[in-house]
Amino acid sequence: MSGTTTAAVRPSREATGANRWVVLVVLCVSLLLVGLDATVLHVAVPAVTEDLRPSAVELLWIVDIYPLVCASLLILFGTLGDRVGRRRVLLLGYALFGVASAVAALAHNGETLIMARALLGVGGAMIMPATLSILRQVFPDRRERALAIGIWSAVAAVGAAVGPLLGGFLLEHFWWGSVFLVNIPLMLVSLPIGRMLLPESRGERDGPWDVTGALMAAGGLFGVVLGVKRLGGGEDVTGPLTLVPLLVGVALLVLFVRRQSHRAHPLVDLSMFRRPAFSTSVGCIVLAMLALVGLELIAAQYLQLVLGLSPLQTGLRLLPLTVAAMAAGLAGARVLRGLGPRRMVCAGFVLTAVAVVTLTAMGGHDNTPLLLTGFVLLGFGLETTLFGAYESMLSEAPADRAGGAAAIGETSYQLGAGIGIALLGSVMNAAYAPALDSVPGVPASASSAAGRSLGEAYEVAARLGGPAGAALRHAARDSFVHGLHVTLLVSAGLLLLGALMALRLPKVMNCAPEGAGVPEPAAESPVPLAKSELPAPRTAGKPTVSA
């Protein structure tokens, strides 16, 4: 048996009627900003390098510090919001995000930009789980909540995809700092509107907040994500800067789990993982991102380095994927009611696997109909999978633990993405490099350098020149396409594994509003509400979904 455990509750004034949808708009704007900032800098890296002249290590931290800090602090701020108020944490995140954006835009050296990007990561970690946990509270009716999550997830897809396009447009007309300045007017509008319109809500405040546990979780996630990112960048697993963060991170997370399991009032309610729908949903999120985020980066390289498209053209070519993801998000609520969580997530995984296998037909020449078909199927299948998994996870979690549950979901997303880049990047390198060891006329040292990436192979080929350079360029291009095919097949296998995992999800979903339309026992009568707070149902209520 699985499902959302709720008690009959009376919504607060701020969360009723049309206001719920206004709140959703505010939350979506918040998410859009965080999603934009995760990708908008990618196209600005050359301009930042030319202006600030950062070292190779500084440039790496400029790009990576934002997702590293954001991923490591999600649990800390998600659970803090449950304690002190989700709106309060969200508004603080707005303010910090705006200040950090101004500092980043005006940075005169690499160190300042790294610090500003780290502060943006802190702001993002405050905003992301708060948006999802407030959404969980504002929409107690699962039917409406499913629609709201569909809109929320569609906006997330737009933010990630529009980032490079917006960055490219701004760089054509302004300097690189403009990619950060665009955040400030939106935050200046969101902060007062959010203060006026967003309802305050929090979970139960039994016992002290576990500060030590929160810091252990943050340190552990930082170490694991850092190690995984270095592996994804091709670093040796035995290197101290890769192995030490991984080992320390894993050790801290193990200690964190042990600490939580022995506390009377844990920071994260690990008992949620004993619910099949919750643990399976989290696993599906990890697998979906593991299988696909690495492919996103490889596909971008294919479009630019193999087909010769510009960054802006690459973003436009990937736009159908985003449009399909938006459509899947908006249709998700209806699909979920018709199919149920189990069949919806299974179908999403299978459709995405079909899209990935379809894309194995990509070759050395542009095939627009094939790419269009593959990207549309990919976007629709991926969003269907993530929508079903997120909705099941959030609905399964008790409302008073919504912040912690949202943080777990977002952390799973980030970890899956990081592991996917490392795993699929390793598969790609293993399939790509061997073919370059025996190119006629190319020295062994040049072949070794060319085997690190297609971009380096083109640079080496340009330095060699003549027939040897042309042969190396041709071999590298063909080898990259071969590696892409192998990686796609591995990804398809992971997606089919996800479809099997999804069989543990509930078969049907009860769409009746919580506490309405069904007779309630006397023990589940409405409970008094604290002033300006949303209800916080306890885990002793009646399951609304059963498998």
Side-chain angles (χ1 to χ4, degrees), residues 52-72:
L52 300 184
R53 302 291 180 185
S55 66
V57 174
E58 287 177 337
L59 184 61
L60 183 67
W61 280 106
I62 287 171
V63 174
D64 285 346
I65 193 66
Y66 175 82
L68 270 175
V69 171
C70 188
S72 62

Side-chain angles (χ1 to χ4, degrees), residues 85 147 241 307 351 392 400-401 404 425-426 439 511 533 535:
L147 177 58
L241 294 179
L307 300 186
L351 181 61
S392 297
D400 64 333
R401 298 287 184 177
S426 299
V439 180
C511 295
E533 290 188 10

Side-chain angles (χ1 to χ4, degrees), residues 51 73 76 81 89 212 241 247 255 300 322 325 374 386 400 415 443 456 470 516:
D51 188 20
L73 295 179
L76 189 154
V89 171
T212 302
L241 294 179
L247 292 179
L255 291 174
T322 305
L386 291 176
D400 64 333
L415 283 177
E456 287 194 53

Side-chain angles (χ1 to χ4, degrees), residues 325-344:
M326 290 173 58
L330 296 175
R334 180 171 295 181
V335 175
L336 184 62
R337 290 198 301 271
L339 297 181
R342 181 186 301 173
R343 282 180 289 184
M344 181 178 185

Side-chain angles (χ1 to χ4, degrees), residues 454-464 472-473:
L454 183 58
E456 287 194 53
Y458 284 176
E459 292 177 5
V460 172
R463 288 198 300 268
L464 287 175
L472 177 61
R473 185 180 180 89

Side-chain angles (χ1 to χ4, degrees), residues 259-272:
R259 179 182 177 86
Q260 298 307 298
S261 63
H262 290 91
R263 288 182 66 86
H265 305 290
L267 185 71
V268 175
D269 184 6
L270 297 178
S271 66
M272 289 190 293

Side-chain angles (χ1 to χ4, degrees), residues 47-434:
V48 170
T49 304
E50 182 179 351
D51 188 20
L52 300 184
R53 302 291 180 185
S55 66
V57 174
E58 287 177 337
L59 184 61
L60 183 67
W61 280 106
I62 287 171
V63 174
D64 285 346
I65 193 66
Y66 175 82
L68 270 175
V69 171
C70 188
S72 62
L73 295 179
L74 286 168
I75 287 178
L76 189 154
F77 286 118
T79 56
L80 181 63
D82 285 341
R83 300 283 303 184
V84 305
R86 291 142 187 163
R87 185 187 70 165
R88 180 178 299 174
V89 171
L90 180 63
L91 295 179
L92 287 173
Y94 284 168
L96 183 58
F97 210 83
V99 170
S101 296
V103 174
L106 302 175
H108 294 293
N109 53 59
E111 293 88 349
T112 304
L113 186 54
I114 291 170
M115 181 197 70
R117 289 274 291 168
L119 290 176
L120 282 168
V122 176
M126 289 179 166
I127 293 170
M128 289 173 69
T131 61
L132 201 52
S133 56
I134 291 175
L135 186 151
R136 168 70 176 88
Q137 292 282 351
V138 171
F139 292 92
D141 174 15
R142 193 171 183 181
R143 180 185 287 107
E144 287 189 343
R145 183 165 66 243
L147 177 58
I149 291 175
I151 297 171
W152 179 90
S153 57
V155 170
V158 171
V162 170
L165 294 177
L166 178 62
F169 172 80
L170 291 172
L171 287 172
E172 287 184 5
H173 297 86
F174 308 101
W175 94 113
W176 61 266
S178 61
V179 302
F180 297 108
L181 283 182
V182 72
N183 295 332
I184 297 176
L186 292 173
M187 283 301 172
L188 289 175
V189 172
S190 297
L191 193 58
I193 290 179
R195 183 175 177 82
M196 287 188 296
L197 297 180
L198 293 179
E200 183 59 284
S201 66
R202 55 176 62 90
E204 292 299 319
R205 289 182 281 184
D206 298 333
W209 185 56
D210 185 9
V211 179
T212 302
L215 295 176
M216 289 172 66
L221 287 169
F222 187 90
V224 169
V225 175
L226 175 59
V228 166
K229 275 185 156 298
R230 289 183 61 82
L231 285 176
E235 300 292 336
D236 185 3
V237 69
T238 60
L241 294 179
T242 302
L243 185 61
V244 172
L246 273 175
L247 292 179
V248 172
V250 169
L252 284 173
L253 289 179
V254 170
L255 291 174
F256 170 75
V257 171
R258 289 174 59 88
R259 179 182 177 86
Q260 298 307 298
S261 63
H262 290 91
R263 288 182 66 86
H265 305 290
L267 185 71
V268 175
D269 184 6
L270 297 178
S271 66
M272 289 190 293
F273 285 95
R274 291 199 289 268
R275 303 180 181 192
F278 186 89
S279 57
T280 301
S281 297
V282 170
C284 288
I285 292 169
V286 172
L287 258 182
M289 298 313 300
L290 189 152
L292 290 164
V293 168
L295 286 182
E296 224 173 75
L297 296 176
I298 295 169
Q301 292 180 56
Y302 169 80
L303 293 172
Q304 292 184 62
L305 298 177
V306 175
L307 300 186
L309 302 180
S310 69
L312 187 58
Q313 289 173 325
T314 299
L316 291 172
R317 188 63 67 91
L318 290 170
L319 203 55
L321 188 153
T322 305
V323 173
M326 290 173 58
L330 296 175
R334 180 171 295 181
V335 175
L336 184 62
R337 290 198 301 271
L339 297 181
R342 181 186 301 173
R343 282 180 289 184
M344 181 178 185
V345 177
C346 280
F349 270 122
V350 171
L351 181 61
T352 311
V354 169
V356 167
V357 172
T358 300
L359 290 173
T360 58
M362 291 188 300
H365 302 285
D366 194 0
N367 187 335
T368 301
L370 172 71
L371 293 177
L372 179 63
T373 302
F375 288 156
V376 167
L377 292 177
L378 190 65
F380 198 90
L382 173 62
E383 183 60 25
T384 298
T385 302
L386 291 176
F387 173 89
Y390 264 110
E391 199 281 336
S392 297
M393 180 205 71
L394 198 61
S395 294
E396 183 69 15
D400 64 333
R401 298 287 184 177
I408 289 171
E410 295 292 349
T411 302
S412 303
Y413 185 102
Q414 298 288 344
L415 283 177
I419 295 170
I421 291 172
L423 175 63
L424 296 185
S426 299
V427 171
M428 180 71 190
N429 290 336
Y432 163 75

